Amino acid sequence: MKKLVCLILLVAILEPACLYTISSNSLESLLVKDGIKTVNGSVIDWYNPIAQEFVESRKNHATYEPLSISTLREQTSSQLTNRLFEPRRAALEKLVIQAEGVAKAYDWSNDIVRVSYKDSANFSQYFEPDAVDDRARIFPRAVNFSFSTVHVPLVTYVGEGSVEKDTMHGLNWTKSLDTFFIEADESARNNTEQEDLLWQYFGSDHGFVRHYPGSSWHQLKEDEVDLYDTRRRLWYNQGSSSPKDVLIMIDTSGSTVGQTLYLMTLTVQKFLDTLGEDDFVQVATFSSWAIMKEKKYKAKLGPDCFPDFVQATTFNKRMLMLYVKELNDPDLPQGQANFTVALEYAYTTFEKFEKSEARQIGMGSDCNKIIIILTDGGVDKTDSVVSKHEETASYHIFTYAMGQAPTFLDAVRRIACRKGNRGYYSKINSIGTIDQGVQHFTTRLGAILAHERGQESLISSLYRDEWGLGMLMTLTMPVFNRTDPNNVTLLGVMGVDVAAEEFNKFISFRELGPLSYVIVVNHNGFVVKHPLLKTQELWDIEPPSIDILDVEVVKNDDVLDEINWLRDELLDGNTISRVIADVGTVLKNGDNDAYFISYSQKYFTADIKKTRYRLAIANPEIVSSVLKVNGTSIVRNVSTLTALVNEGYEVTISKWNYCEGVLKLTNQSSLQQNLTDLVSENATCNDDMINHLLWDASIIHASNLTSLVNNTGIEAVSLTTAGGISVVYPPRFDDDEEAFKFGDHYSNPATKRAFANREEFIYTVDYARDQYGDYSGPAISIFKALTEVVDDRPYIFGVLGITINNTLLTENLRAVKDEFGSGICDSFFDKICLLLDEGGFIIAENSEDEGSNLIGQWLGKVDPSLMHLLFNDSDESSIYGRHKFFDYQATCIFTWREQPSSASRLPSIGQIADLLLTHLTTGIAFLYNSLLYTEGASSEEPLKYGEEYQTCTKISYQYYYNDKDNLAREISGCGRDVQTVKVEGTNMMMVIADHPQKDTCEGITLPQEPVEIVAKEYVEQNPSVCKRHLRRRVPPAQCYNSFSPNFPYSCTGCYGASVNVVLILAALVWKKLLY
């Protein structure tokens, strides 16, 4: 095999280990254009002057101070409590007191006929542009601060323009809330010690929501029906009930075959949707046999690796639903429904859970115990088994008669209506009645809370705002009707939002740098703030609950014990600091998680007082100093910043909290006015941040970066600074607003890679190549950290980047010759020559195709056998190592199937009449939804399919250099000889390889890109999933679980309702017409 070729591609310093020296004439310049003749000139000539400009200016205008993470930790924790959470909580509690006062004084006996309200669907009728003030900047849509708007759910309508009487009362008395909303908003705005309020709203127990400031409802898609009901939102359910353990029992006896079992599957999904991260759930099946796992199809308890109740997280609920959907096997239903067996097993399941390992680490709600039975009927009597348990345990039992023609319903009703079971009985005949049936469950839980006067402010799980504020949490508190002190009832839930993005106001990004970050977790260990926490808008209902163990990236599983220790310290609210080695992060290449970087990281933890949140700051200690610019030497004006815009730069300012009360920077045209506001004498600003920003701008202006472009072979230049300014020339976007959608350039993956490898030039593929000219494949961008080292303490001023055409690098690769002057890479047919980056992506290759589509591709995809020689999973000394990353926040396209049979959807005439006779509102909603789902259906109609986005789990792999200082190798295998050598001073490695021989190493595949993991495969590839739900938590302190003999007893909405003569006639006419 030939001896290794020594290369000099960026830094003209030969390694002494080189056996041969290539003449400098054999390596043309990286940029063989426009006067740049040497390798040094191609890099050092554009990097050194700018780096030196920062160094020299720093000596005259700035000094270094030690970075104190401990101080930042205390400041951040204190401000989150005192400026954000406590003021919001105080505002919420005051709103609840005021609302209850209005409700208590309201005349509920008033025979109200019609009520007017501002419908959010018709917001344009009320919106007045001159009524909008500066506060509107924080909202993503048009708002009006003089009134609230209301969304009324479809189910409450009984005719055009009118709603049911109780809802009209609700709309009427809540009009007074506008005064209190406005008062709370103005109070926050006038208090400089707290942040402005975001959305305030009241969610009614009748489904409507009144939100302030007034705004339009979100735009519906074509053919989309607005089925929004506030009672089905997670924040409402968490605010209107105490935590609960829920066991859902599914009847799989022989009579449930087909449509009834399918209806049960959909109902289980609806129940799961009402449960949040403080609830626990399990699913079991039953028939005439006892629940025995060894009997095929004879009812087992949930998925195999969920032996107990599991936390109602998105992931766990998805696993349960995968199990439930398997129940639609046509061979499953057998035997008869035995309720005694079902209840005995349910009681035993609860008792075993109390003694389980899970309970010892905080699993379980330690509050309400609920059994839900879904059945199509049965004759079994359960008095003996119920009486045995009702004296020693407290359960709520809900029963549901399922399907078109459930039979022997008396036994089903008696289970729920026995007073000791404190339950509720409902019928669910079709898809259209599922929501109403499940609503009985949530309404009963709200009644329990009201009876116990359970009035505690809570904060919801993280979710996506329907009105466009991104990911947020809602501080909630129930609102009660206290008109009759002996019969307190739930009116709804008051909410005040806290947006996840608001945390950024209290994080010192400038001091921390791009690799340090802040973590905020709640009492369950779930993160609400983390750089890897995604905020995709596709999460319409419920984003995944992500534990800190899911996003703290480690090099190997051995480090997980250290992260578990960190998690425990956070849950206990301890203030500690500790270094953990071999942690890091995953960075993107295009849209994929492609790079893994690791380092030692020091964690600083603290409690966020008076909340259930904990804080950690993670610092890799790559930068240990803070730059303090002398304000007297920098003129506090915006002339240099606006000059950059005038010179043609695309300028963005990081979304940091430079000043209070300043409009957000939204586009280039408004930049000058916004920056003038930023540094005005009236603005309350952080002087250190402003001085640093303006100092950076002055250096960029003096450096004249635009001169590097075009006449040097460089097609674009960029600079991101530690002070928070980023410039790009020429601009990438025709629409200047697009530039600001990228937010903070400091979080750019290339910037992070340059920081982590500050001594190297980072070559990466620029996938936005077509913005710079004629497309010839993706361009290559080169980034380098601008660094000064003083007393062995490095400080990085920013990251400088240039963009070049990929052909420039390819031409130089083909020009590489050996010491005798013979070409090595000039012919692709003789040798394959590649430049690979640290993740195995192709930066340059020697094929003769112009605009080769190999640039930017992962080597394992285009030449698997070659990548196999560079990576050996069983050999720790192989060139590449591999990191496995599970993404629990991925989004997948889910294909759904709609059952065709109209008989399974359309209600029978008797059902329609019965429902109209007993409950008008429920009847109309039932009829509407039933018809909605059956329009055009027939028994002959084929299956209907559709697609929608859902959260899912994906696995991807990131490759990295095992030892970047030991990349010079000679490798043989798969019938090929391969030579590798590090390109010193860069993140690249050159590979010279023979072409693969036919029929050699065929079938080799290496995974890299994200792939969805289905349940079975996931368990096989990650066995720890079966213990993923066994993670310690701190349960909520309060539980409201009423078993008082004075509890208002109402067992069913299907019997005993008053009958209105008009409704009887309407029902009879309806029945006559259908006949």
Side-chain angles (χ1 to χ4, degrees):
M1 188 176 188
K2 290 185 178 181
K3 297 178 179 179
L4 291 175
V5 177
C6 295
L7 301 174
I8 315 165
L9 281 180
L10 291 179
V11 178
I13 300 175
L14 303 182
E15 285 290 303
C18 293
L19 299 178
Y20 292 91
T21 301
I22 301 176
S23 168
S24 60
N25 293 331
S26 70
L27 285 179
E28 297 296 332
S29 164
L30 175 63
L31 301 175
V32 195
K33 287 187 178 181
D34 302 314
I36 293 184
K37 300 299 183 186
T38 66
V39 174
N40 276 357
S42 68
V43 175
I44 306 302
D45 280 0
W46 60 260
Y47 169 77
N48 270 349
I50 299 169
Q52 196 61 32
E53 185 79 35
F54 273 96
V55 172
E56 293 302 320
S57 182
R58 198 279 307 164
K59 291 177 181 178
N60 296 323
H61 301 300
T63 56
Y64 291 123
E65 295 181 350
L67 174 63
S68 174
I69 302 295
S70 298
T71 301
L72 294 180
R73 168 183 60 189
E74 299 308 318
Q75 290 175 350
T76 304
S77 173
S78 174
Q79 288 179 331
L80 284 172
T81 295
N82 298 325
R83 291 186 60 87
L84 188 62
F85 286 109
E86 274 303 289
R88 298 278 167 90
R89 188 188 310 278
L92 172 67
E93 291 175 352
K94 185 175 181 180
L95 285 170
V96 170
I97 292 173
Q98 292 169 325
E100 290 187 348
V102 172
K104 187 174 182 179
Y106 180 74
D107 182 8
W108 296 93
S109 64
N110 179 28
D111 190 17
I112 193 168
V113 176
R114 181 175 293 274
V115 61
S116 62
Y117 59 92
K118 290 182 171 62
D119 192 338
S120 57
N122 301 317
F123 178 67
S124 58
Q125 296 179 12
Y126 324 113
F127 179 65
E128 301 173 7
D130 58 354
V132 177
D133 56 31
D134 289 350
R135 291 170 292 172
R137 71 190 185 279
I138 63 177
F139 294 97
R141 61 177 63 202
V143 295
N144 191 300
F145 289 90
S146 60
F147 55 80
S148 66
T149 47
V150 177
H151 175 272
V152 179
L154 184 66
V155 70
T156 63
Y157 280 92
V158 295
E160 184 176 354
S162 62
V163 294
E164 62 180 358
K165 184 175 180 179
D166 288 343
T167 302
M168 284 193 286
H169 277 300
L171 292 169
N172 201 28
W173 81 261
T174 58
K175 283 182 180 181
S176 299
L177 295 182
D178 280 14
T179 301
F180 307 133
F181 287 148
I182 294 171
E183 177 185 308
D185 185 77
E186 290 180 346
S187 175
R189 183 162 53 99
N190 295 327
N191 188 343
T192 58
E193 298 300 317
Q194 69 178 79
E195 300 304 309
D196 290 353
L197 293 180
L198 301 178
W199 300 117
Q200 306 172 59
Y201 39 85
F202 172 76
S204 167
D205 67 330
H206 293 291
F208 73 82
V209 59
R210 180 180 292 277
H211 52 95
Y212 176 88
S215 69
S216 62
W217 194 241
H218 62 268
Q219 189 68 35
L220 296 176
K221 299 176 182 177
E222 187 178 356
D223 298 329
E224 181 183 1
V225 178
D226 183 8
L227 298 178
Y228 180 93
D229 188 322
T230 193
R231 295 167 297 184
R232 299 182 191 128
R233 300 302 292 179
L234 205 53
W235 63 266
Y236 182 92
N237 288 320
Q238 287 179 296
S240 62
S241 66
S242 271
K244 45 201 168 289
D245 299 328
V246 180
L247 178 60
I248 303 175
M249 304 288 295
I250 303 174
D251 178 0
T252 55
S253 59
S255 59
T256 62
V257 66
Q259 300 300 332
T260 299
L261 194 56
Y262 175 70
L263 193 63
M264 291 181 182
T265 301
L266 299 180
T267 303
V268 171
Q269 179 68 71
K270 288 292 185 180
F271 273 115
L272 293 179
D273 287 342
T274 69
L275 304 180
E277 63 184 61
D278 284 332
D279 302 318
F280 287 75
V281 63
Q282 185 54 277
V283 177
T285 57
F286 72 95
S287 60
S288 56
W289 286 270
I291 313 296
M292 295 184 294
K293 292 185 178 181
E294 62 269 18
K295 279 184 174 292
K296 184 180 180 182
Y297 296 134
K298 297 300 179 289
K300 66 178 183 178
L301 187 67
D304 290 334
C305 65
F306 283 1
D308 296 308
F309 288 88
V310 293
Q311 202 167 4
T313 64
T314 307
F315 178 86
N316 290 341
K317 289 189 286 188
R318 189 165 68 243
M319 292 285 285
L320 288 171
M321 276 310 301
L322 289 172
Y323 163 73
V324 171
K325 289 176 181 178
E326 292 177 356
L327 302 181
N328 284 302
D329 189 313
D331 296 327
L332 169 60
Q334 294 184 25
Q336 295 179 344
N338 188 320
F339 299 135
T340 298
V341 167
L343 286 175
E344 192 66 65
Y345 183 76
Y347 293 135
T348 302
T349 298
F350 276 101
E351 291 166 1
K352 288 172 64 176
F353 181 55
E354 287 301 315
K355 302 173 184 178
S356 68
E357 174 191 356
R359 289 289 288 128
Q360 308 310 310
I361 59 173
M363 295 292 106
S365 70
D366 200 24
C367 195
N368 290 286
K369 298 177 183 178
I370 295 173
I371 300 170
I372 297 173
I373 298 177
L374 307 180
T375 179
D376 67 342
V379 296
D380 183 43
K381 296 183 178 180
T382 59
D383 292 347
S384 60
V385 65
V386 170
S387 61
K388 184 171 64 174
H389 289 276
E390 66 183 354
E391 299 299 328
T392 58
S394 300
Y395 296 92
H396 298 279
I397 302 180
F398 294 79
T399 58
Y400 288 84
M402 307 293 297
Q404 285 287 301
T407 56
F408 305 106
L409 298 184
D410 185 60
V412 181
R413 185 177 63 83
R414 285 175 57 194
I415 294 173
C417 294
R418 182 184 174 101
K419 197 164 186 179
N421 288 345
R422 308 164 182 88
Y424 205 91
Y425 163 71
S426 302
K427 291 180 182 179
I428 296 179
N429 305 103
S430 67
I431 290 177
T433 58
I434 292 177
D435 283 340
Q436 286 296 99
V438 174
Q439 190 59 53
H440 294 150
F441 166 72
T442 56
T443 299
R444 172 51 57 93
L445 297 178
I448 294 171
L449 192 72
H451 186 264
E452 294 294 300
R453 277 64 162 180
Q455 203 155 31
E456 179 188 13
S457 61
L458 300 173
I459 192 159
S460 73
S461 305
L462 198 65
Y463 69 97
R464 186 177 69 84
D465 178 32
E466 298 91 349
W467 295 294
L469 280 181
M471 305 302 291
L472 49 74
M473 301 140 284
T474 300
L475 278 164
T476 64
M477 198 169 183
V479 178
F480 298 136
N481 185 351
R482 301 177 186 271
T483 303
D484 180 357
N486 296 318
N487 184 24
V488 176
T489 59
L490 180 70
L491 291 172
V493 175
M494 193 75 75
V496 175
D497 284 341
V498 176
E501 189 175 337
E502 289 187 280
F503 289 5
N504 293 341
K505 297 178 181 179
F506 313 108
I507 298 174
S508 303
F509 291 102
R510 183 181 71 95
E511 290 91 337
L512 291 174
L515 291 180
S516 299
Y517 54 92
V518 169
I519 307 167
V520 179
V521 303
N522 67 10
H523 61 289
N524 285 311
F526 298 141
V527 295
V528 297
K529 178 67 178 176
H530 193 283
L532 292 185
L533 186 64
K534 298 181 181 179
T535 57
Q536 298 183 37
E537 291 193 359
L538 295 174
W539 294 338
D540 184 34
I541 300 298
E542 183 182 1
S545 304
I546 299 300
D547 196 281
I548 186 175
L549 295 176
D550 299 330
V551 286
E552 277 301 283
V553 180
V554 298
K555 192 170 185 178
N556 53 66
D557 290 344
D558 295 338
V559 188
L560 284 176
D561 290 339
E562 296 275 353
I563 303 299
N564 250 319
W565 169 87
L566 172 68
R567 186 180 185 275
D568 285 341
E569 295 297 313
L570 284 168
L571 290 179
D572 292 336
N574 294 332
T575 300
I576 57 97
S577 59
R578 179 168 173 172
V579 175
I580 300 179
D582 290 332
V583 297
T585 190
V586 171
L587 300 173
K588 289 191 177 296
N589 183 28
D591 294 328
N592 293 331
D593 296 312
Y595 297 103
F596 169 70
I597 56 176
S598 63
Y599 31 72
S600 292
Q601 185 154 266
K602 192 169 187 178
Y603 292 87
F604 299 77
T605 69
D607 184 23
I608 302 177
K609 304 296 184 184
K610 301 180 182 180
T611 74
R612 294 197 290 179
Y613 290 118
R614 310 291 183 262
L615 169 78
I617 297 179
N619 176 35
E621 299 184 302
I622 291 174
V623 176
S624 56
S625 300
V626 177
L627 191 71
K628 185 175 180 62
V629 178
N630 183 358
T632 61
S633 61
I634 300 295
V635 180
R636 191 171 179 182
N637 61 55
V638 296
S639 59
T640 51
L641 279 166
T642 54
L644 295 178
V645 177
N646 296 334
E647 290 167 11
Y649 287 102
E650 174 188 295
V651 181
T652 55
I653 307 296
S654 295
K655 297 178 181 179
W656 302 346
N657 200 30
Y658 291 97
C659 299
E660 297 292 338
V662 177
L663 296 180
K664 284 186 176 180
L665 309 180
T666 56
N667 57 55
Q668 297 279 307
S669 347
S670 65
L671 182 65
Q672 182 168 351
Q673 180 59 49
N674 280 273
L675 291 175
T676 301
D677 293 341
L678 194 71
V679 297
S680 70
E681 293 181 358
N682 296 326
T684 303
C685 298
N686 183 312
D687 288 341
D688 288 338
M689 294 179 66
I690 288 292
N691 290 336
H692 195 165
L693 175 72
L694 297 177
W695 180 70
D696 285 347
S698 67
I699 295 177
I700 296 172
H701 178 60
S703 299
N704 193 21
L705 294 178
T706 58
S707 64
L708 290 176
V709 179
N710 298 327
N711 64 346
T712 61
I714 298 174
E715 298 190 353
V717 63
S718 66
L719 177 57
T720 297
T721 74
I725 184 172
S726 296
V727 297
V728 178
Y729 182 83
R732 296 163 301 169
F733 304 100
D734 295 331
D735 179 359
D736 56 18
E737 292 190 12
E738 286 295 315
F740 287 85
K741 292 182 180 180
F742 282 80
D744 183 9
H745 289 265
Y746 225 35
S747 61
N748 186 299
T751 302
K752 291 178 182 285
R753 290 162 65 194
F755 256 75
N757 303 278
R758 61 184 175 84
E759 296 180 352
E760 294 184 342
F761 288 86
I762 303 299
Y763 281 63
T764 189
V765 175
D766 187 342
Y767 291 94
R769 169 66 183 89
D770 55 342
Q771 296 290 338
Y772 296 120
D774 296 334
Y775 186 78
S776 58
I780 305 300
S781 289
I782 309 165
F783 296 92
K784 179 70 169 67
L786 300 166
T787 308
E788 181 184 23
V789 180
V790 177
D791 298 329
D792 296 325
R793 296 164 71 96
Y795 181 79
I796 299 176
F797 298 108
V799 173
L800 181 65
I802 63 169
T803 300
I804 62 173
N805 192 295
N806 68 67
T807 58
L808 300 178
L809 201 55
T810 300
E811 290 169 3
N812 287 278
L813 183 62
R814 293 181 190 143
V816 172
K817 303 180 186 302
D818 63 19
E819 70 276 20
F820 304 110
S822 300
I824 299 174
C825 299
D826 53 350
S827 174
F828 178 76
F829 297 101
D830 294 333
K831 291 287 183 181
I832 296 174
C833 292
L834 302 169
L835 288 177
L836 302 179
D837 71 7
E838 73 270 35
F841 290 88
I842 299 172
I843 302 298
E845 45 88 25
N846 68 331
S847 72
E848 299 176 3
D849 297 333
E850 283 296 326
S852 170
N853 60 4
L854 297 183
I855 304 297
Q857 297 259 11
W858 185 61
L859 178 63
K861 185 176 182 179
V862 299
D863 195 337
S865 66
L866 179 55
M867 188 64 195
H868 174 68
L869 296 176
L870 302 179
F871 165 75
N872 187 336
D873 199 17
S874 60
D875 183 4
E876 294 183 358
S877 65
S878 70
I879 288 179
Y880 282 106
R882 186 169 71 181
H883 175 262
K884 180 168 61 174
F885 179 62
F886 286 97
D887 181 2
Y888 300 101
Q889 309 172 74
T891 303
C892 298
I893 296 178
F894 169 73
T895 302
W896 54 265
R897 183 184 69 177
E898 182 177 295
Q899 297 285 349
S901 174
S902 60
S904 67
R905 305 289 180 93
L906 191 63
S908 68
I909 294 170
Q911 290 169 349
I912 295 172
D914 289 342
L915 211 53
L916 284 174
L917 293 174
T918 56
H919 199 293
L920 177 61
T921 301
T922 302
I924 290 179
F926 167 72
L927 176 60
Y928 172 84
N929 287 310
S930 297
L931 295 175
L932 172 69
Y933 281 99
T934 55
E935 185 177 354
S938 71
S939 57
E940 305 298 325
E941 187 178 355
L943 292 174
K944 294 182 179 179
Y945 293 88
E947 292 182 343
E948 63 183 34
Y949 288 99
Q950 289 189 352
T951 57
C952 61
T953 300
K954 289 184 179 181
I955 184 174
S956 62
Y957 293 86
Q958 298 77 41
Y959 294 77
Y960 56 90
Y961 293 142
N962 262 326
D963 182 359
K964 67 180 181 180
D965 297 322
N966 183 27
L967 298 181
R969 308 284 183 89
E970 295 180 353
I971 307 171
S972 295
C974 295
R976 310 172 75 171
D977 287 337
V978 180
Q979 300 176 150
T980 63
V981 64
K982 178 77 162 65
V983 181
E984 292 303 324
T986 79
N987 64 325
M988 294 191 298
M989 172 180 66
M990 184 172 182
V991 178
I992 304 172
D994 294 333
H995 283 273
Q997 297 183 13
K998 190 177 181 180
D999 301 327
T1000 304
C1001 290
E1002 285 189 350
I1004 290 178
T1005 58
L1006 289 172
Q1008 189 271 326
E1009 294 181 342
V1011 176
E1012 181 183 0
I1013 301 296
V1014 298
K1016 183 177 180 181
E1017 293 174 352
Y1018 179 76
V1019 173
E1020 291 173 351
Q1021 296 191 41
N1022 189 28
S1024 62
V1025 66
C1026 288
K1027 290 192 174 181
R1028 187 171 179 264
H1029 64 284
L1030 291 176
R1031 292 172 175 172
R1032 179 175 166 245
R1033 66 189 287 267
V1034 179
Q1038 295 292 330
C1039 170
Y1040 301 100
N1041 185 4
S1042 176
F1043 290 96
S1044 165
N1046 297 322
F1047 181 77
Y1049 183 70
S1050 173
C1051 174
T1052 172
C1054 301
Y1055 290 85
S1058 60
V1059 180
N1060 184 294
V1061 176
V1062 175
L1063 297 184
I1064 294 177
L1065 293 175
L1068 292 175
V1069 171
W1070 174 257
K1071 184 178 292 190
K1072 182 69 174 177
L1073 289 174
L1074 286 181
Y1075 280 124

